[in-house]
Amino acid sequence: MANLQSSSGVITTVTYSLSRCRRGMARATINMPKLRTGSLSLKLPARDLVQEVLDMGVSLTAATTGHVKKKYESITDTTFPSVSNVSDPLVIAKLHAIMEAVADRVEMHKNIGEQRDNWNHLLLTSINGITLTAATMAGIAATSVGGPLVALKLSSTLMYLAATGMLVVMNKIQPSQLVEEQRNAARLFKQLHGQIQRTLSCGTPTSTDVEEAMEKVLALDKAYPLPLLGAMLDKFPKTVEPAVWWPQHRQRQARQSGRTDGNGWSVELEEEMREVVGVLKRKDTEDYLRLGKIALKINRMLAISGPLLTGLAACGTAFVGSSHGPWAATLGVVAGAMASVVNTMEHGGQVGMVFEMYRSNAGFFRLMEETIESNLNERDVGRRENGELFAMKVALKLGRSLSGLKGLAASSYSSSKKGEAIEEFASKLF
């Protein structure tokens, strides 16, 4: 009521002032348009309208507060990861230490491989030079008499004996095979280095990753040792086995329960992988083991023939000038020349390297077999590697497309149904 009274007073004062102003302006003979005077009234809004406006204000405040709270919670969730996703700093430090050791091994195997490759070339050139020189001196000694005969005969015999000793050592260590071992070791250590890098950059490393990396490093050290004495691999094994440079997979326990499809896997994909494993075992692995046995036999025969020929040449040269002079000289010259040819075939042709290459290829296929079988033995597909990604990896390692991999599995299945052996190899790379 007080507000209404004050408003009426203000309106009355304004009306009185306007009337006096109108009379004053009329006396000054100024014509102004007449203002229409009417009663000015002030209408107040109803109580319902005021209450509605207040309710709208309260609702707007509540909605704004809730929106801000939700936005803050979403920002908090996306900005600050949970404690479970944070890696242990000690685990990261261990993986970095292993990665540094792996990088150092890559350089070591690379440098030692280059050194042993130089050994192969230098020893081959030196032994052939010594052998051919001794054969030439034996031929000249056969046409000499007196003092020159003894000197030439003695020099030729000593050179043949030196060549024989050097050939025995060279054939024992097989420098070309050592070079191939270091090449494979450097390549595999580079792969391991990349795997550790991906684990550090893309995943959340755990202590299990550290243990697996350590096992892989030790397995590679055992498969491709650096020292020659004591730890060198047997260059002439009794049986040819695939090279093994990976830790043996832990046998996964078969689970009675678990999903049988999903995660990129299906019944058709499992059957395809089983057919691929069968082809790898029957064709690729067996064929490279067969070739490895042939290369080993040839290398063993050449390794025995070289020193035997130089030894016979030394004996023949020692009897030059005696009653068996013509035959002794012929043996000394011809055996020396043949020894040079055999040595060139063995080490120039790098037969030891070929044997190691076949053995490594067989190991590559054996690793693929174990990897595929390890995934198939896990009944819960949620614990396997993604099926589509796994199939793509297998296809790339075999040099095939995904459609080509399916065609291989179909061909193997049809051949097994007919009772025939499949003629196609799984790998198209080598």
Side-chain angles (χ1 to χ4, degrees):
M1 292 298 292
N3 290 336
L4 290 174
Q5 289 176 359
S6 61
S7 299
S8 301
V10 172
I11 295 170
T12 305
T13 305
V14 172
T15 306
Y16 176 74
S17 299
L18 287 173
S19 62
R20 289 192 61 185
C21 181
R22 187 166 56 249
R23 291 197 295 268
M25 291 175 66
R27 293 194 187 102
T29 66
I30 298 175
N31 295 324
M32 291 292 293
K34 292 183 178 181
L35 296 175
R36 183 178 292 179
T37 59
S39 61
L40 182 62
S41 62
L42 181 62
K43 294 183 179 180
L44 295 176
R47 182 175 179 82
D48 295 339
L49 180 60
V50 174
Q51 186 65 33
E52 184 178 352
V53 171
L54 292 176
D55 294 341
M56 289 176 62
V58 173
S59 301
L60 181 61
T61 303
T64 306
T65 305
H67 177 70
V68 172
K69 186 182 292 185
K70 289 180 180 179
K71 186 174 182 181
Y72 175 76
E73 290 176 355
S74 63
I75 292 175
T76 304
D77 293 340
T78 56
T79 304
F80 302 100
S82 61
V83 179
S84 60
N85 291 332
V86 178
S87 300
D88 186 359
L90 182 59
V91 171
I92 295 177
K94 288 180 179 180
L95 282 178
H96 276 289
I98 296 174
M99 190 166 61
E100 291 176 1
V102 169
D104 185 58
R105 279 171 169 78
V106 171
E107 292 298 322
M108 291 170 62
H109 282 281
K110 181 180 177 181
N111 295 336
I112 292 178
E114 293 177 355
Q115 179 192 35
R116 291 173 178 176
D117 189 36
N118 291 334
W119 285 1
N120 186 54
H121 292 294
L122 293 175
L123 286 173
L124 174 62
T125 304
S126 301
I127 292 175
N128 280 346
I130 292 174
T131 304
L132 292 176
T133 301
T136 303
M137 295 176 70
I140 297 174
T143 60
S144 302
V145 292
L149 171 63
V150 176
L152 290 171
K153 182 172 67 172
L154 181 60
S155 299
S156 178
T157 303
L158 292 176
M159 293 178 74
Y160 273 134
L161 292 176
T164 302
M166 294 173 68
L167 271 176
V168 170
V169 175
M170 189 176 183
N171 293 343
K172 177 66 176 178
I173 64 175
Q174 292 291 315
S176 64
Q177 187 171 346
L178 291 174
V179 174
E180 183 65 16
E181 292 175 5
Q182 308 314 314
R183 290 196 196 103
N184 291 331
R187 177 178 57 85
L188 294 170
F189 272 116
K190 283 182 181 179
Q191 289 183 1
L192 180 58
H193 188 271
Q195 292 173 6
I196 298 175
Q197 277 186 330
R198 287 191 295 273
T199 302
L200 288 171
S201 60
C202 302
T204 317
T206 61
S207 58
T208 305
D209 296 322
V210 176
E211 294 176 0
E212 290 180 355
M214 283 291 295
E215 289 177 356
K216 290 179 180 179
V217 171
L218 296 178
L220 279 171
D221 288 338
K222 182 179 179 181
Y224 300 104
L226 286 172
L228 291 178
L229 300 177
M232 184 180 68
L233 297 178
D234 187 7
K235 300 302 182 289
F236 301 97
K238 295 181 180 179
T239 59
V240 179
E241 296 291 338
V244 179
W245 60 82
W246 61 92
Q248 296 300 314
H249 294 288
R250 297 181 178 90
Q251 296 294 330
R252 297 183 176 180
Q253 297 180 355
R255 299 173 180 267
Q256 300 298 329
S257 62
R259 293 178 296 157
T260 57
D261 57 356
N263 193 24
W265 287 91
S266 62
V267 178
E268 292 78 8
L269 182 58
E270 289 188 358
E271 292 299 327
E272 289 176 6
M273 291 296 107
R274 289 190 177 92
E275 293 297 333
V276 170
V277 170
V279 176
L280 287 172
K281 288 181 178 180
R282 294 190 302 269
K283 295 294 294 184
D284 298 75
T285 305
E286 288 298 326
D287 189 66
Y288 275 101
L289 289 177
R290 179 183 62 83
L291 292 174
K293 292 177 182 179
I294 294 174
L296 179 62
K297 289 179 181 180
I298 295 174
N299 197 30
R300 183 182 284 115
M301 181 183 65
L302 294 175
I304 295 173
S305 301
L308 180 61
L309 287 172
T310 52
L312 290 175
C315 294
T317 304
F319 289 100
V320 172
S322 63
S323 58
H324 304 285
W327 292 103
T330 302
L331 179 62
V333 174
V334 174
M338 291 296 298
S340 179
V341 173
V342 169
N343 189 35
T344 303
M345 290 176 60
E346 181 183 7
H347 300 289
Q350 299 186 354
V351 182
M353 182 273 293
V354 174
F355 166 69
E356 181 63 26
M357 181 184 68
Y358 288 150
R359 199 173 70 93
S360 298
N361 291 345
F364 171 78
F365 294 125
R366 179 65 59 83
L367 176 60
M368 288 194 65
E369 295 170 14
E370 292 187 5
T371 304
I372 296 174
E373 290 175 346
S374 177
N375 275 273
L376 294 178
N377 289 337
E378 178 58 60
R379 302 305 306 166
D380 186 0
V381 295
R383 298 170 59 89
R384 299 179 187 174
E385 186 176 357
N386 181 269
E388 295 180 3
L389 178 61
F390 185 74
M392 185 186 70
K393 288 181 179 180
V394 172
L396 288 174
K397 288 181 179 180
L398 296 178
R400 290 177 175 271
S401 62
L402 291 175
S403 59
L405 192 66
K406 293 181 179 179
L408 174 67
S411 177
S412 173
Y413 181 77
S414 62
S415 298
S416 61
K417 284 293 184 181
K418 297 177 182 178
E420 300 175 353
I422 185 173
E423 298 296 332
E424 186 179 7
F425 289 90
S427 175
K428 288 185 174 295
L429 287 180
F430 42 80

